[in-house]
Amino acid sequence: MTEPTMLSKEVQILESTAPGATKRPRGGALSLSPWADYAFRRAGGVLLSVVLLVVVTFFMVPLIPGDPAVAVAGADATTEQIEAIRNSLGLNDPLYVQFISYVGGLFTGDLGESFAYSTSVSQIIATKLPFTAELAVLGIILVLLVSVPAGMLVGILTRGGRKKWLDVSFGMLTGFFQAVPQYVVSTMLVVVFAIILKVLPAAGAASLSALILPVIGLSIAPICSIARVVRRETSTVLEQDYLRTARGWRLPSVRLYARHALPNLLTTALTLAGLILAGMLGGAIIVENVFNWPGLGREIVTAIVNKDYPVIQGIILVLGFLAIVLNLLVDVILGLIDPRTLGGKSNG
Amino acid sequence: MAEIARPRRRFRWTTGLIVGIVMMSIMVLTAILAPMFLTEAAEKLTPQASQGPSPEHWLGTDDFGRDVLARSLVATRLTLLMTAATTAIAVVAGIAIGTAVWLAPRRIRAAVLRVIEAAVAYPSLIFSLLIAAILGQGTWSAVLAISIASIPAFARLTANMAASISQRNYVSTARLLGVSGPHIITRHLLPNMAEPLLVLTATVFATTLIDLSSLSFIGLGVQNPEYDFGRLLNEGLVNIYSQPLQAVMPSIMITITGLSAMLIGDGLAAATDPRGGRKFGSLRKASEVPASLRADAEALVEVDNLTVTTPSGLPLVKGVSLSIHAGEVVGLVGESGSGKSLTAMSIAGLLPEELGVSAKTMRLGELNLLKKNNPRELATSIGLVYQDPGTSFNPALRIGSQLTEVSRVHLGQSRGTAFGRMIKALADIRITQPEKRMKQHPHELSGGMLQRAMIASTLVTDPRLIIADEPTTALDVTVQADVLRQFRTINREMGTAMLFISHDIGVVQALCDKVIVMNGGKILERLTGEELAAGKVKHPYTKALLAATPSIAERKAELVTVSAKDFALDEVFDDDPATGGHVTTSRTVEETAK
């Protein structure tokens, strides 16, 4: 890769997260299989990320101004009542004591008790996460199903500077949908499909059809950004020597593109999709707000308003942990598609 | 293609870039002018609340009787200022971290990169939500929150670019010479990253705009009485059913701003992309230029008066005629840019499509290569071997499935049959553990092994012609000998005709029955293998090529450098019977050019 091909933020993110880009094989490790080496190399990174996540969230969250005890006790509570609540919540213990007991709890899956409701944080997350996950998983499936074929098709049709009009209109269209904020798109979807056409429910998570609008609202911008990346990668792959080799075999177009070009695009598309899925799990806040969807995003906004530290910490931890796991999962899938990404011998 | 003399990279104005800049200029003008004239209409509370459109209020009024249109226009200033500030903080901090990390000691660098990597994986909206909550609600805390959340991604990208640049020789040299760290950053790293960073900045501007407005939308950003687009949409979308027009203007404004930033980013990327801006010429066609007698109707391959031109009409191959008889190995020699690869790829039908090809005749047996042919026939008749086995194999696919592609697609063989035959073919050329090789990926094999496997795979379809385009150039000298031996064996045992392209006259001499010397898109001289071996060459260019070839026997000879400018290249030692003599001028070339 030469530098002029590194052109957009998306591609940049991809190229930087492409496994093997920054990691160098550790010399001297006895090599059982590429996978064993790989697992060994990754384990340390994953562990470090988790530790970092726990420490940062624990110490950042209490920086939110305002006294959670006041929030729990209510505006007209007396100073004694508030002090009693502070004691019972453990807020008067030194910070390191609170940290140790929190970390201790983590090992047993205990994320603490919500200040605002008398339920455990894990309970709250367990009821809210499925709603968010449902949106995010369906969203990413939709994103991949639409953006990869669309991006490839445009990349093939405009290869080497052909069909300028298509290139321009594709750029305009995808740019437009990336520029419209998610909450505007979502509101427009509600207005058109729920209010005017009355074909889909406007809000809530009562039925399966209630999923359609939030999923679309969540997916439109990522579809555009991945489609752009896939398009750009397609035009790069189509100029590679190995594609000339495949052309020399005079393969039918479908086989040429699906078998010989697609696997080389997937590395980029999937790396980005992993980041976007992690972002969707956390970033569904907006869509959940518009559609009144009972997921984690709305819960964390409520928790921030209520100064409900354990809930905020719990949600941040769970989302961060999911992001780390997803990253790892994407890398493993990439390793299966293209073993070079496991690092080691070839680095480009 | 290396053959095309490309002018230095020029800035190309694309439609998108111009549209983006115009739209952004309008937004900036609005941001400057609107607050000067419209602030009163936008902020004065009047009793005419929640009204529809009227001549005084084109888009109606909001809940407090303020003019919706005026508010949308005035909000442009705060929105643009916030977005610009956020982008500036994220970009400056990101670049600082991303470049400084490359000057830090190795361990610190690794640790910082890890932290950045972990931060990038984290959903940035949640991160900015948390920061906004800590800093309190308000305009500038929103700016800080979004910019802090955007720093890791930008730092990551900068670090990556800096990584590739800091490994270049001039940076290492500067370090060895004791140039200070900050100086290396400002003198070497930043200038070389300027273009992609500019593009990135435009993209970050667009995403930041949306992130900021999202924060305002959920109530954690700009607070009353201030207002940006996000704040207006927060109010407007609540009233979407009673006052739909209230949300329309801010939506349009924010979309235009975001879109213009994206178009500028795209446009800058395209403007500086050296691959862009190509034009397309015609495809293959038959030319009406009279046949040269050089071509031979009896031959297996007949190319008569081939020209290849760029879309702008610049001729790259200027009237080349050659023929290859069954069982014959023809070598095509010349330096880079002589047109030899273009000639070969024209015959193979694999030229980049923007190049125009014309010839009086171009055929293989009875296949007219100027027309579209049955893919099966082409694939099985012409075997192709390329220069660099490291790039001509698909890195993502296993060797076996690549080598058997033609057998399975065009000969209808089952996977088992095709694999069996290929394994046997590999064993025949003494590649060890052929079964295992078939299951490996290209990066696991050496270049020589890949190249020999590629050659072997071209034979399973029993082609009539093998075109080998510099097949030994990318290989070690010892491996080159193996590959040449393999070609010679194929020719001796199977009698396959070959077109062998090389810049190395020594390699060609060892293998070919006939040798064609090309330069500047023209044939300078035709020789037989014996003539070449005996040194009976006439053209000074060929002599120079020969002299420049280091040979162990002639070690004492002084090294000659070849420059085409030293020779009168119009003087062609092409003993074409049509002219009956040694020297012809480039008559056909000129005619073709017209």
Side-chain angles (χ1 to χ4, degrees):
Chain A
M1 286 280 133
T2 51
E3 65 283 358
T5 61
M6 313 198 288
L7 290 174
S8 80
K9 187 181 179 185
E10 303 97 295
V11 170
Q12 280 301 308
I13 292 176
L14 311 176
E15 282 180 355
S16 45
T17 42
T22 50
K23 293 149 218 146
R24 261 161 221 88
R26 267 176 212 163
L30 68 161
S31 168
L32 299 168
S33 76
W35 283 102
D37 283 356
Y38 183 64
F40 181 75
R41 276 206 311 277
R42 284 304 299 264
V46 169
L47 204 67
L48 184 80
S49 303
V50 173
V51 170
L52 207 67
L53 182 67
V54 173
V55 174
V56 170
T57 44
F58 184 85
F59 289 101
M60 258 182 98
V61 170
L63 296 177
I64 298 174
D67 190 339
V70 177
V72 173
D76 41 272
T78 64
T79 325
E80 290 76 36
Q81 281 172 314
I82 292 173
E83 197 50 34
I85 289 172
R86 286 187 65 81
N87 273 326
S88 73
L89 294 179
L91 290 170
N92 283 338
D93 296 339
L95 213 50
Y96 73 91
V97 175
Q98 293 183 40
F99 182 66
I100 290 170
S101 78
Y102 188 72
V103 172
L106 286 185
F107 282 103
T108 59
D110 176 12
L111 293 167
E113 289 270 318
S114 160
F115 290 167
Y117 324 105
S118 49
T119 41
S120 72
V121 174
S122 16
Q123 186 72 43
I124 294 175
I125 293 177
T127 49
K128 302 288 182 179
L129 182 60
F131 285 101
T132 298
E134 198 176 18
L135 283 189
V137 170
L138 286 175
I140 200 72
I141 292 173
L142 181 68
V143 167
L144 286 176
L145 284 183
V146 176
S147 64
V148 174
M152 256 188 97
L153 190 67
V154 175
I156 291 167
L157 292 176
T158 61
R159 67 186 181 280
R162 233 158 295 224
K163 289 201 175 59
K164 275 279 178 322
W165 63 268
L166 180 62
D167 203 14
V168 172
S169 30
F170 178 79
M172 290 273 188
L173 190 75
T174 51
F176 176 80
F177 278 107
Q178 276 182 286
V180 185
Q182 214 173 39
Y183 50 88
V184 173
V185 169
S186 303
T187 312
M188 295 307 155
L189 286 173
V190 172
V191 169
V192 173
F193 291 98
I195 312 297
I196 299 177
L197 299 177
K198 292 191 173 46
V199 285
L200 291 165
S207 63
L208 211 58
S209 60
L211 268 168
I212 297 176
L213 290 183
V215 167
I216 295 177
L218 193 59
S219 309
I220 285 183
I223 284 177
C224 292
S225 76
I226 297 199
R228 286 157 84 97
V229 172
V230 169
R231 192 224 96 106
R232 201 170 297 129
E233 284 290 294
T234 304
S235 42
T236 308
V237 166
L238 291 185
E239 300 208 344
Q240 300 298 308
D241 281 356
Y242 55 79
L243 232 81
R244 183 183 59 177
T245 310
R247 282 201 198 94
W249 294 328
R250 329 282 165 174
L251 304 178
S253 305
V254 174
R255 193 177 176 98
L256 178 70
Y257 295 125
R259 246 177 77 80
H260 292 265
L262 184 61
N264 296 289
L265 303 171
L266 279 183
T267 320
T268 327
L270 286 182
T271 311
L272 190 56
L275 285 180
I276 284 181
L277 179 55
M280 278 178 164
L281 285 169
I285 299 171
I286 304 291
V287 166
E288 288 179 9
N289 255 302
V290 174
F291 292 96
N292 206 11
W293 190 262
L296 277 187
R298 264 168 40 126
E299 192 60 38
I300 197 172
V301 175
T302 317
I304 288 177
V305 173
N306 291 343
K307 318 259 181 298
D308 198 344
Y309 293 168
V311 175
I312 306 173
Q313 283 163 344
I315 293 177
I316 290 182
L317 278 187
V318 167
L319 289 178
F321 187 71
L322 283 176
I324 294 169
V325 170
L326 280 172
N327 240 356
L328 192 65
L329 196 69
V330 167
D331 288 355
V332 168
I333 293 174
L334 291 181
L336 289 173
I337 294 175
D338 185 351
R340 278 178 316 161
T341 62
L342 294 182
K345 213 169 169 182
S346 154
N347 240 345
Chain B
M1 303 287 305
E3 274 86 346
I4 302 171
R6 213 183 277 284
R8 277 210 70 214
R9 279 203 276 158
R10 246 198 6 244
F11 196 86
R12 264 188 311 277
W13 289 91
T14 58
T15 324
L17 183 58
I18 294 167
V19 172
I21 289 178
V22 168
M23 290 199 314
M24 187 58 91
S25 311
I26 293 174
M27 296 315 286
V28 171
L29 272 182
T30 311
I32 295 171
L33 296 179
M36 291 183 185
F37 302 109
L38 296 169
T39 307
E40 178 163 337
E43 291 173 6
K44 189 163 172 244
L45 309 183
T46 67
Q48 298 126 332
S50 309
Q51 289 185 340
S54 64
E56 292 97 81
H57 306 290
W58 291 358
L59 293 174
T61 57
D62 69 359
D63 292 351
F64 299 96
R66 296 171 293 200
D67 186 72
V68 167
L69 180 61
R71 280 177 79 73
S72 306
L73 295 176
V74 173
T76 313
R77 179 181 282 184
L78 183 62
T79 308
L80 284 191
L81 280 179
M82 287 172 74
T83 312
T86 312
T87 310
I89 298 173
V91 167
V92 170
I95 291 179
I97 297 173
T99 49
V101 101
W102 284 98
L103 300 174
R106 203 190 173 85
R107 277 173 181 280
I108 295 177
R109 176 165 73 215
V112 174
L113 286 177
R114 274 246 180 279
V115 172
I116 295 176
E117 205 173 310
V120 168
Y122 199 80
S124 67
L125 195 56
I126 298 272
F127 193 38
S128 38
L129 211 62
L130 183 63
I131 299 173
I134 292 172
L135 297 176
Q137 296 145 345
T139 308
W140 297 105
S141 80
V143 166
L144 267 182
I146 302 288
S147 50
I148 293 174
S150 315
I151 290 173
F154 210 91
R156 165 60 129 0
L157 306 177
T158 315
N160 257 28
M161 277 186 262
S164 75
I165 294 168
S166 66
Q167 280 159 6
R168 291 185 198 161
N169 289 338
Y170 55 82
V171 179
S172 327
T173 313
R175 280 191 194 205
L176 284 175
L177 292 174
V179 178
S180 72
H183 199 70
I184 289 184
I185 291 181
T186 52
R187 280 299 300 263
H188 296 292
L189 294 185
L190 288 181
N192 285 295
M193 301 192 293
E195 277 174 16
L197 284 178
L198 204 60
V199 173
L200 273 181
T201 305
T203 320
V204 169
F205 186 91
T207 52
T208 299
L209 173 74
I210 291 188
D211 289 350
L212 276 171
S213 84
S214 302
L215 221 49
S216 292
F217 175 75
I218 51 177
L220 284 172
V222 173
Q223 301 294 315
N224 257 334
E226 290 187 288
Y227 49 97
D228 67 341
F229 294 153
R231 180 81 214 167
L232 291 181
L233 281 166
N234 176 324
E235 294 161 9
L237 291 175
V238 174
N239 298 335
I240 186 86
Y241 310 121
S242 54
Q243 283 277 90
L245 278 179
Q246 202 181 329
V248 168
M249 199 56 194
S251 300
I252 293 176
M253 297 292 276
I254 198 170
T255 306
I256 291 179
T257 315
L259 182 59
S260 60
M262 276 202 195
L263 290 177
I264 291 175
D266 278 4
L268 287 176
T272 53
D273 183 356
R275 291 179 302 166
R278 287 198 210 147
K279 289 196 201 105
F280 280 87
S282 53
L283 291 175
R284 284 162 287 175
K285 60 170 189 257
S287 74
E288 289 310 315
V289 177
S292 132
L293 295 182
R294 187 75 240 173
D296 185 345
E298 304 282 293
L300 171 70
V301 176
E302 184 190 354
V303 176
D304 189 351
N305 210 352
L306 168 74
T307 60
V308 177
T309 47
T310 63
S312 51
L314 186 74
L316 301 172
V317 173
K318 308 162 181 169
V320 163
S321 301
L322 60 88
S323 53
I324 306 170
H325 289 268
E328 200 174 46
V329 182
V330 173
L332 212 49
V333 212
E335 59 191 287
S336 339
S338 61
K340 57 191 192 309
S341 288
L342 287 175
T343 304
M345 287 300 127
S346 309
I347 298 172
L350 289 175
L351 275 186
E353 289 172 54
E354 68 265 31
L355 296 179
V357 174
S358 71
K360 171 72 179 154
T361 315
M362 187 160 70
R363 60 165 187 86
L364 165 65
E366 55 290 343
L367 269 184
N368 181 357
L369 298 174
L370 291 167
K371 287 200 306 196
K372 201 169 167 56
N373 286 294
N374 179 351
R376 172 175 304 141
E377 203 149 354
L378 275 180
T380 53
S381 313
I382 303 177
L384 289 153
V385 182
Y386 304 91
Q387 178 168 348
D388 184 355
T391 58
S392 55
F393 273 88
N394 193 324
L397 302 178
R398 291 173 200 279
I399 308 276
S401 66
Q402 300 192 52
L403 294 182
T404 56
E405 200 69 336
V406 174
S407 313
R408 285 180 296 141
V409 172
H410 293 300
L411 300 180
Q413 291 176 5
S414 71
R415 189 184 162 86
T417 319
F419 267 61
R421 290 185 55 178
M422 196 62 229
I423 288 170
K424 189 174 168 301
L426 290 181
D428 284 348
I429 55 166
R430 292 186 311 283
I431 282 181
T432 53
Q433 298 176 283
E435 290 89 352
K436 186 179 159 206
R437 304 293 176 212
M438 296 284 279
K439 292 194 194 96
Q440 284 177 315
H441 282 81
H443 72 273
E444 297 173 84
L445 268 65
S446 71
M449 204 183 270
L450 284 175
Q451 195 66 310
R452 293 200 293 134
M454 182 65 98
I455 298 167
S457 80
T458 62
L459 294 177
V460 296
T461 58
D462 201 9
R464 300 160 79 180
L465 172 70
I466 290 179
I467 298 178
D469 186 2
E470 303 247 8
T472 58
T473 307
L475 304 175
D476 289 345
V477 178
T478 47
V479 184
Q480 281 187 12
D482 281 345
V483 170
L484 286 177
R485 208 171 297 127
Q486 190 183 354
F487 277 116
R488 206 174 300 138
T489 313
I490 291 168
N491 180 252
R492 197 181 305 132
E493 291 176 1
M494 309 178 65
T496 315
M498 284 184 207
L499 181 59
F500 192 96
I501 292 103
S502 181
H503 65 268
D504 184 345
I505 202 162
V507 167
V508 170
Q509 187 179 337
L511 186 69
C512 302
D513 304 313
K514 286 200 300 201
V515 178
I516 297 172
V517 183
M518 280 185 78
N519 191 295
K522 286 177 286 188
I523 294 180
L524 297 186
E525 185 164 18
R526 295 166 199 268
L527 298 158
T528 63
E530 295 85 56
E531 280 171 342
L532 186 60
K536 288 188 197 159
V537 300
K538 294 160 198 152
H539 199 287
Y541 177 72
T542 320
K543 286 179 185 161
L545 270 185
L546 266 179
T549 308
S551 131
I552 296 166
E554 298 164 16
R555 256 254 160 93
K556 284 167 279 175
E558 83 185 271
L559 203 61
V560 182
T561 50
V562 180
S563 163
K565 293 179 192 73
D566 298 345
F567 311 107
L569 289 175
D570 273 357
E571 215 174 281
V572 176
F573 286 70
D574 179 6
D575 50 350
D576 195 318
T579 56
H582 287 330
V583 181
T584 65
T585 54
S586 48
R587 169 182 48 85
T588 42
V589 179
E590 280 154 20
E591 278 171 13
T592 322
K594 288 167 195 165

